[in-house]
Amino acid sequence: MFQYTQQDLDEKFRVLKKGHFLVEFLPEENGDNYEYLYQVKAMAKESGFEYYAKVAWRKGTIVANTGRKAKNTEDILLFSKGRARDMRPDAKKDKAEPEMKHYMSGAKGMLPTAFDIQPISKADRVHQSEKPVELLKQILEFVTDKKNWYWTNMLVPLPLRKLPLNQNGIPSQLRLVRNILKRGKRGLKM
């Protein structure tokens, strides 16, 4: 089973721009992994990240009954490199000064208590940890700006090729990595 190391989080901190978000998918806490999940948060803090929020991904109608309780969620942890950028609209200041847009530190909006999105079916998945396009799209809408670049591990961006090419400034990023994704797809014999 994959487990993060301090070096993993140190490298992510090194390449992430100040004020930007790191989004990590982790399993729901249980009796077997709670110490490891605490370690991940401690390692992120040691690397310099600030804990921003944790949002559950409720996997629609899928329920796995494999232990003490039924499971159908994963945790999405959001960390920021330093103080989060000013992306959240400040309605109070906008009302006081309507001729100017005002923003507060944080994600573009109030994060939901949970993202309730059906996972990709086993038959349609390329990799067991592949996330649904709609989930990635919703997360990106909260944590990115039109001018943002984002990167991730090799298999995770494969569903991003299905996002609309006019979505939130993504076309430039997708055009730049399209050939890399095609080579990766051929390498995986998909």
Side-chain angles (χ1 to χ4, degrees):
M1 177 173 82
F2 172 79
Q3 291 197 339
Y4 286 102
T5 65
Q6 186 65 53
Q7 292 80 12
D8 294 330
L9 292 162
D10 288 347
E11 181 63 12
K12 290 179 182 196
F13 186 82
R14 184 186 70 78
V15 300
L16 195 65
K17 288 183 179 180
K18 188 175 182 193
H20 288 232
F21 289 98
L22 170 68
V23 179
E24 293 292 343
F25 289 84
L26 293 172
E28 182 181 26
E29 186 175 303
N30 62 42
D32 295 327
N33 69 4
Y34 71 95
E35 290 173 332
Y36 167 68
L37 296 176
Y38 176 77
Q39 285 177 340
V40 170
K41 294 171 192 170
M43 288 187 292
K45 184 176 181 180
E46 177 71 24
S47 294
F49 285 108
E50 291 185 20
Y51 187 91
Y52 185 77
K54 178 178 90 166
V55 181
W57 167 34
R58 192 175 315 117
K59 299 178 181 181
T61 58
I62 301 295
V63 177
N65 188 6
T66 58
R68 296 177 184 170
K69 72 178 204 80
K71 297 176 182 96
N72 75 334
T73 61
E74 273 186 46
D75 289 335
I76 303 169
L77 292 182
L78 287 86
F79 298 98
S80 64
K81 183 174 180 176
R83 179 182 174 273
R85 295 177 297 155
D86 296 338
M87 296 193 319
R88 187 174 181 170
D90 190 335
K92 192 182 233 183
K93 287 184 180 178
D94 285 349
K95 192 173 186 180
E97 287 182 76
E99 66 280 351
M100 189 174 161
K101 284 281 193 192
H102 299 84
Y103 295 93
M104 301 183 285
S105 173
K108 277 191 190 172
M110 182 74 68
L111 291 165
T113 53
F115 292 101
D116 193 357
I117 297 169
Q118 196 72 18
I120 300 169
S121 71
K122 287 184 180 184
D124 294 333
R125 279 193 311 220
V126 173
H127 186 272
Q128 74 180 38
S129 66
E130 187 176 353
K131 307 300 183 229
V133 171
E134 186 57 34
L135 175 63
L136 298 175
K137 183 177 165 184
Q138 286 183 27
I139 293 169
L140 287 173
E141 287 173 2
F142 281 108
V143 300
T144 62
D145 238 351
K146 289 183 178 181
K147 296 172 260 173
N148 284 156
W149 283 78
Y150 55 89
W151 64 271
T152 185
N153 296 334
M154 181 55 197
L155 287 174
V156 178
L158 290 175
L160 293 179
R161 71 187 185 279
K162 299 175 188 170
L163 286 175
L165 287 179
N166 59 0
Q167 173 69 31
N168 203 18
I170 293 174
S172 59
Q173 291 95 318
L174 285 181
R175 285 188 196 110
L176 291 173
V177 298
R178 186 177 299 164
N179 290 335
I180 295 169
L181 290 175
K182 285 179 183 176
R183 282 183 287 179
K185 188 176 176 180
R186 281 194 304 268
L188 295 170
K189 294 181 177 41
M190 291 189 277

